[in-house]
């Protein structure tokens, strides 16, 4: 078996210093705590970017990816929480924001509801009452 050169093997490892951020742990925090942590991560990322440009240590460069992913997860959880609050506020109301309406397909969203499909205009109703269908008796 031929040995594969180390430069060809790309391994994505999370640094041992910063453990992976888990979404289920973030969901337990309040929004203010999340925003505070998010601010810290963004500051850390900007510091890591500076280290990248100045040619910092490999250990610092390996932390960029986990920090970016952590920021993304925090933003995801914050958005989920805000959307849940808005959904609770609009629960049971007739009109909802577009983000809370069901997605479906464009065609399904534009399809007439059954009551709209079976609706008869007033003019046609009057005509049907005043001029009913004639009944013919056929005799042989």
């Amino acid at each position: 078996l031929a040995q594969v050169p180390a430069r060809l093997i790309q391994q994505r490892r999370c640094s041992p210093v910063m453990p992976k951020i888990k979404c289920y742990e973030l969901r337990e925090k309040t929004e203010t705590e999340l925003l505070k942590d998010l601010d810290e991560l963004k500051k850390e990322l900007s510091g890591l970017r500076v280290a990248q440009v100045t040619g910092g240590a490999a250990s610092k460069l390996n932390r960029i990816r986990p920090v970016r992913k952590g920021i993304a997860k925090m933003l995801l959880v914050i958005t989920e929480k805000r959307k849940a609050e808005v959904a609770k506020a609009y629960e049971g109301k007739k009109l909802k924001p577009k983000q809370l309406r069901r997605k479906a397909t464009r065609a399904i969203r534009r399809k007439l509801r059954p009551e709209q499909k079976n609706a008869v205009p007033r003019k046609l109703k009057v005509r049907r009452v005043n001029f009913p269908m004639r009944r013919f008796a056929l005799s042989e």
Side-chain angles (χ1 to χ4, degrees), residues 8-19:
L8 295 179
I9 299 173
Q10 292 182 349
Q11 290 182 339
R12 299 275 186 175
R13 290 187 184 155
C14 198
S15 66
V17 178
M18 183 184 163

Side-chain angles (χ1 to χ4, degrees), residues 71-111:
I71 290 172
K73 286 177 184 175
M74 286 206 184
L75 289 172
L76 177 100
V77 171
I78 290 169
T79 308
E80 281 178 352
K81 283 181 177 278
R82 287 181 180 167
K83 200 170 180 180
E85 286 174 17
V86 173
K88 196 179 289 182
Y90 279 94
E91 193 174 344
K93 294 192 177 174
K94 185 178 178 184
L95 300 174
K96 293 181 182 178
K98 282 193 174 179
Q99 291 86 357
L100 297 179
R101 297 178 197 164
R102 67 187 192 109
K103 180 76 172 111
T105 62
R106 191 169 188 265
I108 290 173
R109 287 196 307 266
R110 278 151 182 73
K111 191 171 70 173

Side-chain angles (χ1 to χ4, degrees), residues 2-138:
Q3 287 273 332
V4 179
R7 63 184 171 79
L8 295 179
I9 299 173
Q10 292 182 349
Q11 290 182 339
R12 299 275 186 175
R13 290 187 184 155
C14 198
S15 66
V17 178
M18 183 184 163
K20 266 190 180 177
I21 296 172
K22 307 286 184 188
C23 281
Y24 68 88
E25 293 169 355
L26 294 176
R27 286 189 184 100
E28 295 169 0
K29 295 184 177 183
T30 63
E31 192 172 338
T32 51
E33 291 174 339
L34 287 171
L35 290 171
K36 190 179 79 175
D37 292 347
L38 180 67
D39 213 30
E40 290 172 11
L41 279 179
K42 284 185 176 180
K43 285 177 186 171
E44 185 180 350
L45 182 64
S46 65
L48 292 172
R49 293 260 189 237
V50 170
Q52 184 182 27
V53 171
T54 57
S59 61
K60 278 197 172 186
L61 300 182
N62 287 341
R63 291 193 43 165
I64 292 176
R65 186 172 191 268
V67 170
R68 279 178 45 236
K69 301 299 176 186
I71 290 172
K73 286 177 184 175
M74 286 206 184
L75 289 172
L76 177 100
V77 171
I78 290 169
T79 308
E80 281 178 352
K81 283 181 177 278
R82 287 181 180 167
K83 200 170 180 180
E85 286 174 17
V86 173
K88 196 179 289 182
Y90 279 94
E91 193 174 344
K93 294 192 177 174
K94 185 178 178 184
L95 300 174
K96 293 181 182 178
K98 282 193 174 179
Q99 291 86 357
L100 297 179
R101 297 178 197 164
R102 67 187 192 109
K103 180 76 172 111
T105 62
R106 191 169 188 265
I108 290 173
R109 287 196 307 266
R110 278 151 182 73
K111 191 171 70 173
L112 292 176
R113 294 191 306 269
E115 62 268 14
Q116 292 171 325
K117 196 183 286 187
N118 300 328
V120 180
R122 189 176 53 84
K123 197 171 184 179
L124 186 58
K125 282 181 188 174
V126 170
R127 190 182 303 144
R128 283 183 182 167
V129 170
N130 292 339
F131 304 101
M133 202 64 148
R134 292 187 180 158
R135 295 182 188 86
F136 295 99
L138 297 175

